[in-house]
């Protein structure tokens, strides 16, 4: 009888968590449906969707980050929740390592490699965790875990601490990955041992079948015969590159100080390349996150902005109104991108399965093992006693790819890469009712 009662209680908990997870995912799909319908009937075309994404990433999302971090982050809180920022770094790092390994094994197209790695690295740290954790805590008692009346407010602090680190890394490293991917003309098989373009260029120089006309601005068409297939490659001879070569030759035959000039020119070129690579990291979202943290740790500013009688409360109130539209807009943009269904031009089914496995299977298993080690090795006094802390720790490491990846790829990546990220999100959210539900039920069973 006792065993039957335990089984019945476990089934009740599982069904409760399943209902919560399904409700959260259903909300995402319903809002995304608005974007899908809007795209279908012509209210949102491709250009408008792209502009909407840039507006959200430049205005709405920065307001959300500023308000959320400014309200929840304080020095005292950061001292108590030191593990969550570290957890964010570990989850991002592990996701990046697994994502890079996946792209090598699957020979992911160069244009999509950065987006695939970013999608494996950065999880949804706000919208979905808020819905899931709030629903669990509102139940009061779930199995043997009891949440008190302060658990809801504590969970917002814990999520804010995790989100602070993830947001800073996501909007500094993420755009660099998105923009740093190679574009369409690059052969996706290059890193798989098939450097076709280089071979074509070498053969073109001596091949009598290569037709080249018109000097440095011409186009050479080269057909390479292979046992299995023929590879047609178009090589464009860039006049600017030829110009740089002539300038380099002039330096070489110039006066004795030419070597110093060449060194300075090389140094300037490298510095410019570094600046160009790092430029995407300097964006409104990083600035808003840093400003929110600064406001949170300066009591005078925090009270002026977030207390109803504060002198700057009206500024924060306006920012909060704008911030309220950030998450719905992101999901609508996602729905508009999926109006024709998931497209697999760059993101094939193996890549979708790989990222889904990383985000919803491997990372949750890793966080369960890490939780068990930390609970049994480190002193209990090092962590908050509230079960909401560990629930946040586990849930944040088990969520699908962040919806903001859709914004980033719209802002910094290519059109095909954006379709690939949309496909990744589609399949992850399709699997979330089962995989995420199982993960959260396991979390509650071990707390």
């Amino acid at each position: 009888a006792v065993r039957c009662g335990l089984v019945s209680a476990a089934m009740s908990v599982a069904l409760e968590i399943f209902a919560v997870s399904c409700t959260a995912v259903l909300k995402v799909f319903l809002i995304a449906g608005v974007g899908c319908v809007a795209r279908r009937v012509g209210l949102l075309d491709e250009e408008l969707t792209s502009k909407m994404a840039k507006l959200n990433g430049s205005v709405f999302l920065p307001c959300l980050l500023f308000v959320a971090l400014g309200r929840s982050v304080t020095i005292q809180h950061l001292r108590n929740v030191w593990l969550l920022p570290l957890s964010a770094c570990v989850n991002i790092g592990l996701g990046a390592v697994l994502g890079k390994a996946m792209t090598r094994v699957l020979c992911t197209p160069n244009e999509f490699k950065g987006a695939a790695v970013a999608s494996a690295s950065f999880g949804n740290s706000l919208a979905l965790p808020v819905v899931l954790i709030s629903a669990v805590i509102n139940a009061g008692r779930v199995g043997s875990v009891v949440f008190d009346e302060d658990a809801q407010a504590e969970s917002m602090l814990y999520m804010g601490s995790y989100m602070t680190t993830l947001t800073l890394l996501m909007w500094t490293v993420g755009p660099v990955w998105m923009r740093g991917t190679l574009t369409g003309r690059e052969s996706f098989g290059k890193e798989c041992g098939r450097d076709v373009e280089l071979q074509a260029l070498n053969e073109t120089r001596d091949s009598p079948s290569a037709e080249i006309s018109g000097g440095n601005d011409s186009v050479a068409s080269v057909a390479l015969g292979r046992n299995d297939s023929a590879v047609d490659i178009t090589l464009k001879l860039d006049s600017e590159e030829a110009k740089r070569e002539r300038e380099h030759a002039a330096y070489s035959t110039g006066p004795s100080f030419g070597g110093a000039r060449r060194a300075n020119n090389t140094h300037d070129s490298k510095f410019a390349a570094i600046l160009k690579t790092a430029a995407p990291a300097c964006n409104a979202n990083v600035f808003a996150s840093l400003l929110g943290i600064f406001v949170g740790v300066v009591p005078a500013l925090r009270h002026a902005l977030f207390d109803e009688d504060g002198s700057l409360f009206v500024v924060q109130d306006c920012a909060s109104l704008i911030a309220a539209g950030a998450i719905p807009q992101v999901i609508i943009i996602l729905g508009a991108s999926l109006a024709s269904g998931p497209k697999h031009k760059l993101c094939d089914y193996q890549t979708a399965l790989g990222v889904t496995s990383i985000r919803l299977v491997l990372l949750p298993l890793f966080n369960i093992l890490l939780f068990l080690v930390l609970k049994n090795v480190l002193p209990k006094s090092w962590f908050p006693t509230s079960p909401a802390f560990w629930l946040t720790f586990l849930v944040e490491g088990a969520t699908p790819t962040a919806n903001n990846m859709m914004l980033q790829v719209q802002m910094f990546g290519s059109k095909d890469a954006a379709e690939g990220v949309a496909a990744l999100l589609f399949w992850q959210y399709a699997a979330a009712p089962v995989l995420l539900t199982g993960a959260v039920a396991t979390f509650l069973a071990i707390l």
Side-chain angles (χ1 to χ4, degrees):
V2 174
R3 181 175 297 178
C4 290
L6 291 175
V7 172
S8 177
M11 289 296 295
S12 177
V13 171
L15 290 175
E16 182 181 358
I17 299 302
F18 182 79
V20 170
S21 179
C22 284
T23 300
V25 176
L26 180 61
K27 288 180 180 179
V28 174
F29 273 96
L30 288 176
I31 299 173
V34 174
C36 182
V37 172
R39 183 68 176 269
R40 288 277 189 174
V41 301
L43 292 176
L44 280 176
D45 58 17
E46 181 180 337
E47 181 180 2
L48 185 56
T49 302
S50 178
K51 289 182 178 179
M52 185 176 173
K54 291 179 180 178
L55 177 65
N56 190 291
S58 301
V59 178
F60 286 83
L61 187 60
C63 286
L64 175 63
L65 295 174
F66 169 74
V67 171
L69 294 175
R71 180 179 288 127
S72 62
V73 174
T74 65
I75 293 178
Q76 183 61 35
H77 290 158
L78 291 177
R79 290 174 180 170
N80 293 335
V81 296
W82 60 271
L83 179 61
L84 290 172
L86 289 179
S87 171
C89 294
V90 171
N91 286 330
I92 293 169
L94 181 58
V97 170
L98 294 173
K100 285 182 179 293
M102 177 200 70
T103 58
R104 285 184 175 274
V105 171
L106 299 179
C107 295
T108 303
N110 286 324
E111 188 178 352
F112 192 61
K113 281 183 178 179
V117 173
S119 298
S121 304
F122 300 106
N124 189 319
S125 65
L126 183 62
L128 192 57
V130 164
V131 176
L132 284 172
I133 294 174
S134 297
V136 172
I137 291 176
N138 285 338
R141 176 186 290 272
V142 184
S144 61
V145 182
V146 179
F147 298 97
D148 58 29
E149 57 184 11
D150 296 326
Q152 197 69 260
E154 291 171 347
S155 69
M156 292 303 297
L157 164 64
Y158 303 145
M159 283 185 280
S161 301
Y162 187 96
M163 184 186 70
T164 300
T165 304
L166 183 136
T167 299
L168 287 173
L169 291 174
M170 179 168 62
W171 285 100
T172 51
V173 179
V176 175
W177 279 341
M178 294 294 183
R179 184 169 285 179
T181 51
L182 300 176
T183 54
R185 284 182 179 268
E186 299 288 342
S187 170
F188 75 88
K190 186 172 183 179
E191 291 193 15
C192 301
R194 296 174 303 191
D195 196 348
V196 179
E197 293 183 359
L198 181 59
Q199 180 181 348
L201 181 59
N202 292 333
E203 293 182 4
T204 302
R205 293 172 179 172
D206 302 319
S207 174
S209 63
E211 300 178 0
I212 305 178
S213 61
N216 288 332
D217 294 325
S218 65
V219 175
S221 298
V222 182
L224 297 179
R226 290 180 177 268
N227 293 332
D228 52 348
S229 63
V231 182
D232 296 328
I233 300 175
T234 301
L235 299 174
K236 187 173 182 179
L237 303 179
D238 191 355
S239 60
E240 291 296 327
E241 181 66 24
K243 180 179 178 181
R244 286 195 294 270
E245 290 180 0
R246 290 194 298 270
E247 291 176 351
H248 179 75
Y251 276 128
S252 300
T253 58
S256 59
F257 56 82
R261 295 177 62 183
R262 289 197 304 275
N264 289 335
N265 185 59
T266 302
H267 180 271
D268 291 343
S269 299
K270 290 182 178 179
F271 183 70
I274 293 173
L275 289 179
K276 183 178 180 181
T277 302
C282 302
N283 55 70
N285 294 281
V286 173
F287 176 76
S289 300
L290 294 174
L291 183 60
I293 295 171
F294 177 74
V295 168
V297 299
V298 179
L301 279 176
R302 192 165 183 270
H303 293 314
L305 281 163
F306 292 96
D307 288 352
E308 291 189 4
D309 58 348
S311 58
L312 298 176
F313 177 78
V314 64
V315 176
Q316 178 271 141
D317 196 36
C318 290
S320 296
L321 291 174
I322 297 173
I327 293 177
Q329 278 193 39
V330 172
I331 301 175
I332 287 174
I333 292 168
L334 171 64
S337 301
L338 290 173
S340 302
K343 298 180 181 179
H344 297 282
K345 180 178 180 180
L346 294 180
C347 172
D348 56 19
Y349 289 102
Q350 290 85 354
T351 303
L353 177 62
V355 174
T356 300
S357 299
I358 291 171
R359 291 290 338 157
L360 299 181
V361 178
L362 298 180
L363 285 177
L365 287 176
F366 169 79
N367 279 279
I368 289 174
L369 292 176
L370 184 59
F371 163 78
L372 294 175
V373 170
L374 293 174
K375 287 278 287 185
N376 290 286
V377 173
L378 298 181
K380 293 183 179 180
S381 59
W382 286 23
F383 312 108
T385 57
S386 172
F389 174 81
W390 289 113
L391 178 63
T392 303
F393 172 86
L394 292 166
V395 169
E396 289 284 10
T399 57
T401 294
N403 294 335
N404 285 331
M405 289 297 98
M406 197 68 224
L407 281 183
Q408 283 193 6
V409 74
Q410 291 273 8
M411 295 172 69
F412 304 105
S414 67
K415 173 187 173 183
D416 291 338
E419 292 176 348
V421 172
L424 290 177
L425 288 168
F426 177 87
W427 290 115
Q428 286 179 75
Y429 277 102
V434 175
L435 296 180
L436 185 58
T437 298
V440 175
T442 303
F443 299 159
L444 291 171
I446 64 176
L447 282 180

